[in-house]
Amino acid sequence: MNTFLDQLDIRRTINGCGIYTDLGGSRLSETVVHAMLDVNKDFVQLKPLLDGSGAWIASQFGAEAARVTPGAAAAIMLGTAACLAGQDGNKSEQLPDLTCMKSRVLIQSVHRYKYDRQATMSGAKLTEYGGAQGNSTAQLEEALAANDAAMILHPIHLDEVEGSLRLEDVVKIARPHGVPVFVDAAYMVFPTNLMATYIERGADLVAISSKYYGGPNAGGFIMGRADLVKAVSNVHFTAYESGTTLKYGRPLKMDRHTIVAVCVALEEWLNLDHDARHRHYDRQVQVLKQDIAGITGLSSEPKCFTMDERFIDEPVNALLITVDAAKTGKSAQAMADALFDQQPCIAVIQEDDKIGVVVEVLTDSEVIKIGEAIRNAL
Ligand SMILES: *Cc1c(COP(=O)(O)O)cnc(C)c1O
C-alpha cells in the first residue's frame, strides 16, 4: 500500500536506540490508539477534560493536583511561568515581560543540563548558584536573600552528582522563603512508585514525560501543589479565545486525543506486568545474541542502556556488540553507518568500538531484521 510516508519518501526506521524524541518517542499501544480514536468521535470541552484528567493523575500519586502538558519541556516552561504569574491573568498576559515580577530561576551550578533553558522562555533569568566545587546551603541562602527568585529548578537525575545539594536540603531552605522547588523527573517512570516520591520529599511541582511510559511523544504532565497547578492553568492555553486575558501558554495547546492518550498510557503503565516486560527484553536480547553468535570479529553482551545513556549490567534491555575491526574489516562506526543506510533504516547506539542495540521499542520481527542486517553489513 502506498502510504503518505511513501509518498513523501520518508524512510521507515527500525529504532534500536530506545526512546528518543527525534526518533518519535515511544510506540503507542493498541489500547492508547483506540482511546484516541474513541475521543475523536465526540467533541468535549477541554477545560473539564484537563481538570478531570489532572485530578485523575493526581489521585494516582497522592498529589494535590496535576495537569496534562505537551511534554516535560513544556511542563518546565509552564511551571516557571506559573511560579512567576501565579493566578493573575494580567501577569500571564504580560509574560515574558517581567516588570514588577520576580525574575530569576535558581539552579545549582552542578545541575546545568539540556532542558534548563525551558525555564528562561518565560522571560526569567536562569541563575546558577555555587561553583565548580559544588553547591552549599549557605550559597543557596545567599541566592534566595536577593528575594527575586520565583522558582528553583531541580533536575532529579542530577540529585546525587558530586557537589549537589539533595532535594531535601533545597526544600528545607527554600520553603521559609516561599520559593517553589520544581523537580524535572521526566524519565523517572520506573519503578512506577518512583514518580510519587518527589512530592513526598517536598517538591512543589514535578514534571513527567509520557514519551518514557508509552504515551505520546508530545505529552506529559505536571503535578504538585494545588495552588501552583491552578497557576499552571492560568498560564496555559484554555480560555485564550473565550476569556478576558491573552494567556502566555497559548502555543502549548493540546488536542483531546493527546490528553486522553497521556492518561490511558499512564494507566496501562501503572498496571503493566513490568517483570514480564523485562523478561520480554531479555528474550529479545538473547535472540539477537544467538543470531550473531557465529560472526567472526563480533562479541556481544546483554546490558542495560540507561536513560542517561550509559551501559550498565541490569535490568537488561540491550545487546552491546564489540566490533573487532581487524577481523570484520569494518569499524563499529562503519557498521552503524551501513545499518543506517539499509532499507528500512536501522538506528543503533554507537560508541567507540561498540554498537548497542536497545530492544525497548522493537518488535520481535524487527529484532530478526537487525540480525540479518548485521550479517549483510559484514
Ligand atoms: C525528554 C526529557 C525532557 C523533555 O521531555 P519532553 O516530554 O520530550 O518535552 C525533559 N527532561 C528530561 C530529563 C528528559 O529526559
Side-chain angles (χ1 to χ4, degrees):
M1 190 180 63
N2 193 33
T3 67
F4 188 62
L5 287 183
D6 301 323
Q7 195 181 316
L8 298 188
D9 209 14
I10 305 295
R11 296 165 72 211
R12 285 167 199 273
T13 299
I14 294 179
N15 176 6
C17 295
I19 293 160
Y20 282 95
T21 290
D22 287 353
L23 289 170
S26 63
R27 197 193 297 267
L28 302 178
S29 73
E30 299 265 321
T31 309
V32 173
V33 172
H34 203 268
M36 293 175 91
L37 289 173
D38 182 59
V39 72
N40 189 51
K41 291 184 199 140
D42 297 296
F43 286 88
V44 296
Q45 294 160 54
L46 290 197
K47 191 180 173 323
L49 177 61
L50 282 163
D51 289 347
S53 57
W56 178 82
I57 291 172
S59 73
Q60 303 302 305
F61 302 107
E64 286 177 17
R67 185 178 173 99
V68 176
T69 62
I76 299 170
M77 198 169 154
L78 290 168
T80 311
C83 290
L84 289 160
Q87 291 170 34
D88 184 324
N90 293 323
K91 284 185 177 168
S92 174
E93 182 168 318
Q94 188 189 312
L95 293 174
D97 169 2
L98 299 181
T99 308
C100 298
M101 286 187 227
K102 289 185 173 175
S103 60
R104 289 184 193 277
V105 170
L106 301 180
I107 189 165
Q108 302 189 43
S109 56
V110 297
H111 280 187
R112 295 304 308 274
Y113 77 125
K114 208 182 269 180
Y115 300 100
D116 62 22
R117 77 185 303 275
Q118 319 310 336
T120 68
M121 308 268 164
S122 57
K125 271 209 172 59
L126 194 64
T127 303
E128 271 181 48
Y129 66 94
Q133 308 315 317
N135 304 260
S136 69
T137 51
Q139 285 163 328
L140 176 55
E141 286 285 8
E142 195 186 329
L144 286 166
N147 203 29
D148 58 358
M151 192 182 94
I152 298 172
L153 179 57
H154 194 92
I156 201 72
H157 59 286
L158 300 174
D159 192 50
E160 293 181 15
V161 296
E162 199 168 325
S164 168
L165 291 177
R166 299 289 181 277
L167 176 58
E168 288 77 357
D169 301 327
V170 173
V171 166
K172 204 161 114 192
I173 294 168
R175 196 158 278 166
H177 292 269
V179 178
V181 178
F182 183 113
V183 166
D184 177 357
Y187 61 71
M188 300 300 179
V189 298
F190 185 78
T192 54
N193 57 13
L194 204 53
M195 287 185 265
T197 58
Y198 309 111
I199 287 173
E200 289 157 18
R201 291 171 61 186
D204 298 286
L205 287 171
V206 177
I208 301 278
S209 173
S210 76
K211 71 181 185 232
Y212 292 119
Y213 64 71
N217 198 24
F221 59 89
I222 188 167
M223 63 178 164
R225 264 169 50 190
D227 62 323
L228 292 176
V229 173
K230 200 154 181 227
V232 171
S233 57
N234 175 46
V235 295
H236 205 181
F237 71 95
T238 53
Y240 184 94
E241 284 80 5
S242 60
T244 51
T245 53
L246 301 178
K247 298 163 80 179
Y248 163 80
R250 174 65 177 77
L252 300 177
K253 82 178 206 177
M254 307 197 70
D255 50 53
R256 62 191 185 280
H257 319 73
T258 309
I259 297 166
V260 165
V262 163
C263 297
V264 173
L266 178 63
E267 188 172 38
E268 266 201 308
W269 183 254
L270 293 174
N271 293 320
L272 197 65
D273 180 346
H274 290 276
D275 288 338
R277 178 168 69 88
H278 284 113
R279 281 197 301 277
H280 179 63
Y281 298 159
D282 249 325
R283 192 180 51 70
Q284 287 184 315
V285 166
Q286 283 306 329
V287 166
L288 184 59
K289 187 169 168 54
Q290 304 298 321
D291 199 9
I292 62 166
I295 304 176
T296 313
L298 298 186
S299 58
S300 70
E301 215 183 336
K303 285 277 181 190
C304 171
F305 188 61
T306 64
M307 298 282 197
D308 57 349
E309 306 182 304
R310 292 171 300 122
F311 285 98
I312 60 171
D313 286 341
E314 302 222 297
V316 167
N317 66 0
L319 187 67
L320 188 61
I321 305 167
T322 304
V323 182
D324 183 343
K327 290 191 182 143
T328 59
K330 258 202 177 108
S331 67
Q333 175 72 65
M335 263 187 70
D337 292 346
L339 292 175
F340 199 80
D341 289 340
Q342 302 251 341
Q343 195 64 264
C345 166
I346 296 175
V348 295
I349 306 289
Q350 197 275 311
E351 285 175 5
D352 308 320
D353 62 342
K354 293 181 171 54
I355 282 176
V357 178
V358 181
V359 299
E360 271 195 38
V361 293
L362 292 177
T363 62
D364 288 351
S365 67
E366 287 175 331
V367 171
I368 308 259
K369 280 193 190 135
I370 292 178
E372 277 169 18
I374 290 176
R375 274 195 303 277
N376 291 340
L378 293 175

